[in-house]
Amino acid sequence: MTEVSVAKEEVASTGDLVVLKNVNKHFGALHVLQDIELTITRGEVVVVIGPSGSGKSTLCRTINRLETIDAGAITIDGKPLPQEGKELARLRADVGMVFQSFNLFSHKTVLENVMLGQIKVRKTEKAKAEEKARALLDRVGVGTQADKYPAQLSGGQQQRVAIARALAMDPKVMLFDEPTSALDPEMINEVLEVMQQLARDGMTMIVVTHEMGFARSAANRVVFMADGRIVEEATPDQFFSNPRSDRAKDFLSKILHH
Ligand SMILES: Nc1ncnc2c1ncn2[C@@H]1O[C@H](COP(=O)(O)OP(=O)(O)OP(=O)(O)O)[C@@H](O)[C@H]1O
Ligand SMILES: [Mg+2]
């Protein structure tokens, strides 16, 4: 990926990238997303936090259409999410996603994992795809692991491969859903550092995480969800030092004091 040297403010001023308008979703009787209004500008890093079951993962999954919505609208770069077919595959490539579990193809090498989408979806020729995959693997610090299979890597290394694989598609935005919560403590930082660097390089990011240090240092905005709603939005400073809602105060007292 190219280095972006412009200040965050300038990048953000170039426009809205991900827009959710009045998004609603049910799972049966459960109203899991309620009147969600959320706009993410280019280059912005938004951290989503909230209690278990509040709808954070579902929110992420609607943005690359792993889940459909019942009402409302979602646009990426001004375009509504495609319904199906090739356009949907392209959307999934434009919206890179990194989950808690690494979801690498176990029967493919690390290098092949990072090449595959480029060849299949972006129609990149093999040599170019390999060159780019190697550069990205170097960038996330696992260049020497290229010929291994995922199971031969540590969790932190696998997660960095998953990030490289998403980046290989030149995504417009990256979604992270608790990318470090399945990792042993000593591997958390190596993944957070890659994410910090991405943020500094100007990548637009939506990050569900309990890592409040990351939220404080990398986020432009914290979005707090509870019971399927966005209850509060603020800068990390405002949110952590002066949460407005009782739900946020309660949540913060639990996670900061355990
Ligand atoms: N496929 C599904 N079918 C039915 N209910 C679901 C489904 N996926 C999620 N839910 C429910 O929707 C609610 C929101 O789930 P979601 O996974 O979005 O929460 P979350 O905020 O990500 O929680 P956590 O912090 O535990 O990951 C939960 O009550 C969950 O049980
Ligand atoms: Mg979740």
Side-chain angles (χ1 to χ4, degrees), residues 25-28 30-33 49-61 67 100 177-178 208 210 225 228:
K25 178 173 182 67
H26 296 77
F27 284 121
L30 180 70
H31 198 169
V32 60
L33 295 179
I49 64 175
S52 180
S54 56
K56 306 179 299 292
S57 294
T58 307
L59 179 76
C60 283
R61 292 167 58 82
E67 300 281 0
Q100 180 174 332
D177 190 359
E178 301 200 25
V208 179
H210 299 301
M225 286 186 78

Side-chain angles (χ1 to χ4, degrees), residues 97-105 113 150 153-163 165 179-180 182-183 187 191:
M97 180 121 187
V98 177
F99 302 89
Q100 180 174 332
S101 53
F102 323 120
N103 295 102
L104 297 171
F105 297 114
N113 264 279
L153 269 56
S154 73
Q157 290 172 328
Q158 288 187 55
Q159 196 60 306
R160 286 181 284 151
V161 174
I163 294 172
R165 183 176 61 171
T180 59
L183 298 177
M187 291 166 194
V191 172

Side-chain angles (χ1 to χ4, degrees), residues 25-235:
K25 178 173 182 67
H26 296 77
F27 284 121
L30 180 70
H31 198 169
V32 60
L33 295 179
Q34 304 187 31
D35 307 326
I36 301 288
E37 301 277 339
L38 183 63
T39 297
I40 291 142
T41 54
R42 233 173 275 278
E44 194 179 18
V45 177
V46 172
V47 162
V48 180
I49 64 175
S52 180
S54 56
K56 306 179 299 292
S57 294
T58 307
L59 179 76
C60 283
R61 292 167 58 82
T62 60
I63 295 173
N64 68 355
R65 221 173 180 284
L66 289 170
E67 300 281 0
T68 56
I69 58 176
D70 303 334
I74 303 177
T75 55
I76 309 271
D77 221 355
K79 291 193 218 88
L81 300 192
Q83 304 293 312
E84 56 194 10
K86 282 207 175 109
E87 271 188 79
L88 183 55
R90 263 197 297 274
L91 167 90
R92 297 246 166 87
D94 281 347
V95 181
M97 180 121 187
V98 177
F99 302 89
Q100 180 174 332
S101 53
F102 323 120
N103 295 102
L104 297 171
F105 297 114
S106 57
H107 57 292
K108 304 259 184 222
T109 66
V110 162
L111 183 68
E112 287 164 349
N113 264 279
V114 184
M115 288 172 64
L116 205 64
Q118 298 186 64
I119 294 168
K120 298 266 186 225
V121 179
R122 296 296 194 208
K123 309 294 175 202
T124 308
E125 66 178 71
K126 205 166 163 231
K128 279 248 164 63
E130 176 170 343
E131 192 184 334
K132 185 167 182 175
R134 289 194 188 277
L136 282 167
L137 288 169
D138 279 341
R139 185 173 159 195
V140 300
V142 291
T144 56
Q145 313 294 318
D147 299 321
K148 290 190 182 166
Y149 285 86
Q152 296 172 292
L153 269 56
S154 73
Q157 290 172 328
Q158 288 187 55
Q159 196 60 306
R160 286 181 284 151
V161 174
I163 294 172
R165 183 176 61 171
L167 290 177
M169 309 300 276
D170 295 323
K172 291 178 177 167
V173 51
M174 287 281 288
L175 305 181
F176 293 86
D177 190 359
E178 301 200 25
T180 59
S181 35
L183 298 177
D184 292 336
E186 71 271 23
M187 291 166 194
I188 291 176
N189 276 340
E190 65 192 38
V191 172
L192 291 178
E193 273 163 27
V194 168
M195 292 168 61
Q196 293 269 14
Q197 188 57 49
L198 260 185
R200 280 196 291 270
D201 291 346
M203 176 60 75
T204 309
M205 295 163 66
I206 302 172
V207 184
V208 179
T209 185
H210 299 301
E211 295 294 333
M212 296 303 134
F214 176 85
R216 277 181 184 279
S217 60
N220 301 103
R221 182 157 47 126
V222 171
V223 167
F224 174 72
M225 286 186 78
D227 297 329
R229 290 185 183 279
I230 293 178
V231 174
E232 203 162 325
E233 282 184 68
T235 64

